[in-house]
Amino acid sequence: MRESAGGFEDPSAEVLAEAAAAFGLLASSARLHLMWALAQGESDVTHLAGRVGGALPAVSQHLAKLKLAGLVRSRREGRRQVYYIGDPDVVTLVRLMVGQLTDRTRHAPARAPRLREVGG
């Protein structure tokens, strides 16, 4: 790590790449919704699909990607696969971002710029 002008150390390229990969996975509104839902408690794929309004195969694919990245985990209960949060720190990040954006939309003037408009 190298020290930056503000006195903080710059993260390694490996850490930055890992963070970018995690943010990339969360850049999907469907996967973000799944993380939000799982932050409320563990669930099986059928319940999650109903909650996020997705088709079962698509939700299963999203969960597989999140699981591969270690953001969610699963365990078998009889014939059901139950999913739960694998990284509580990511939940903190998701709650912070969604909460901030929710507050911003509630208290914003009628036409404040949106992140997707600014970021492209």
Side-chain angles (χ1 to χ4, degrees):
M1 284 202 228
R2 296 173 301 183
E3 190 172 314
S4 69
F8 293 100
E9 292 184 1
D10 288 338
S12 69
E14 181 181 334
V15 167
L16 289 170
E18 193 172 330
F23 280 121
L25 280 170
L26 296 175
S28 159
S29 60
R31 287 190 289 270
L32 191 59
H33 198 172
L34 287 168
M35 291 294 292
W36 181 266
L38 288 171
Q40 314 310 309
E42 54 189 38
S43 186
D44 66 12
V45 67
T46 304
H47 180 261
L48 287 168
R51 179 160 179 188
V52 303
L56 210 66
V59 170
S60 291
Q61 280 188 331
H62 287 305
L63 288 167
K65 288 179 182 181
L66 292 168
K67 186 176 175 183
L68 188 62
L71 300 179
V72 301
R73 294 188 179 149
S74 68
R75 71 172 182 284
R76 187 153 298 283
E77 282 187 3
R79 296 183 56 176
R80 294 181 340 139
Q81 192 79 5
V82 177
Y83 293 87
Y84 58 96
I85 293 296
D87 188 340
D89 292 334
V90 173
V91 170
T92 301
L93 179 66
V94 168
R95 284 182 173 157
L96 178 66
M97 177 59 98
V98 171
Q100 289 291 323
L101 291 172
T102 300
D103 286 347
R104 188 181 299 170
T105 57
R106 285 184 186 150
H107 300 100
R111 184 62 187 120
R114 301 278 185 235
L115 285 178
R116 65 179 171 269
E117 294 169 351
V118 175

